[in-house]
Amino acid sequence: MNVFFHPQDNRGHVKLDWLDTKHSFSFGSWYDPRYMGVGALRVINDDTIAAHRGFGTHPHDNMEILTCVLSGTISHQDSMGNQRQISAGEWQLMSAGTGVRHSEINQGDVPVHMLQIWIQPNIQNAEPNYQQIQCDPKQHPNQWHLIAGPKADAKMQIRQHAEVKTAFISQGQQLPINTRHHINYVHLISGQVRIGEHRLNPGDALAFTADTQIEALADSQMIWFDLAE
């Protein structure tokens, strides 16, 4: 099995008065030619946003933008007319397509912790759309939950031959990873797991190309990207 271990210490780290963010892949002012994405997966930003602060209105196009809120609530507003609250355990998918403007503001009194994930689409200049679901894997542990994919069996449909899954695995439990595509990437959110010979801590990730399994060395939450390109 071909593997590539991506330690959390190799992520970019940007700290502002309102934002503490870690970039798995080159983004904004942080650039590392070793980390330009995996297949169609281009961005995983681990953001902590201070109370009453956030990302003001800005544009995107031709990108599938997935947000996973881990704690707190973020307020979303966009040029498609959506005004929504995304709270811990909820996921948002904004398919930017021909172009959309949006803002993400923490209107609460406590920090928001969330992951922002960008996947390059395989359809250009499509009509923008917005999707949002509730799926907290802690409520149904020790199984994979299909969050986003190209087919109707996914909770949200994405414009790419890719599947995004999440799981919360209890200590001592194992979960198989049966790959549909040839590029796989597991990002550990919390806990500690073993995948083959590799032990992952929070923020670590592993890219690999063959079926394997995850063993939870502690209660752990993770995201698995199954990517065709």
Side-chain angles (χ1 to χ4, degrees), residues 2-229:
N2 295 323
V3 299
F4 175 73
F5 178 58
H6 188 170
Q8 65 90 16
D9 287 345
N10 285 9
R11 296 186 294 177
H13 185 199
V14 177
K15 187 172 176 61
L16 307 175
D17 63 339
W18 63 276
L19 175 67
D20 190 345
T21 181
K22 295 179 179 178
H23 303 324
S24 292
F25 307 115
S26 294
F27 186 89
S29 62
W30 181 74
Y31 173 79
D32 188 323
R34 297 174 298 171
Y35 302 111
M36 299 300 297
V38 174
L41 175 62
R42 182 61 188 84
V43 168
I44 303 177
N45 289 349
D46 187 339
D47 294 338
T48 299
I49 303 170
H52 308 291
R53 302 295 296 274
F55 301 98
T57 302
H58 58 282
H60 293 285
D61 63 71
N62 290 314
M63 192 65 71
E64 304 292 287
I65 301 172
L66 183 66
T67 299
C68 167
V69 178
L70 300 171
S71 65
T73 297
I74 197 78
S75 297
H76 168 95
Q77 187 169 343
D78 65 45
S79 55
M80 294 180 283
N82 297 295
Q83 297 185 44
R84 303 289 293 272
Q85 303 291 311
I86 312 155
S87 297
E90 294 186 312
W91 302 67
Q92 172 210 72
L93 177 60
M94 189 178 70
S95 297
T98 54
V100 64
R101 296 177 61 82
H102 78 127
S103 62
E104 306 285 344
I105 305 296
N106 176 9
Q107 296 180 342
D109 296 327
V110 297
V112 168
H113 183 201
M114 66 185 196
L115 299 181
Q116 294 204 51
I117 297 158
W118 295 11
I119 295 175
Q120 295 171 326
N122 58 5
I123 300 173
Q124 296 292 300
N125 298 319
E127 182 179 356
N129 69 53
Y130 181 95
Q131 302 169 67
Q132 183 174 333
I133 62 167
Q134 199 283 333
C135 184
D136 185 351
K138 295 178 183 177
Q139 296 179 358
H140 301 282
N142 305 317
Q143 59 183 297
W144 289 112
H145 301 270
L146 178 58
I147 298 298
K151 298 180 181 178
D153 60 341
K155 293 180 173 65
M156 299 187 294
Q157 280 68 54
I158 195 169
R159 293 167 176 154
Q160 181 54 267
H161 297 300
E163 293 183 338
V164 181
K165 301 178 183 180
T166 189
F168 180 87
I169 309 178
S170 304
Q171 182 176 3
Q173 297 295 309
Q174 296 183 350
L175 267 184
I177 296 182
N178 298 316
T179 64
R180 289 191 181 185
H181 304 116
H182 67 279
I183 305 173
N184 294 271
Y185 189 85
V186 169
H187 175 90
L188 186 64
I189 296 172
S190 62
Q192 187 179 73
V193 302
R194 181 183 290 115
I195 304 177
E197 299 178 353
H198 294 272
R199 185 184 296 241
L200 277 63
N201 293 302
D204 290 343
L206 190 73
F208 51 94
T209 57
D211 292 357
T212 185
Q213 67 178 11
I214 294 179
E215 177 188 359
L217 305 178
D219 291 350
S220 302
Q221 185 174 349
M222 67 213 67
I223 301 179
W224 166 26
F225 301 91
D226 193 351
L227 306 160
E229 56 182 84

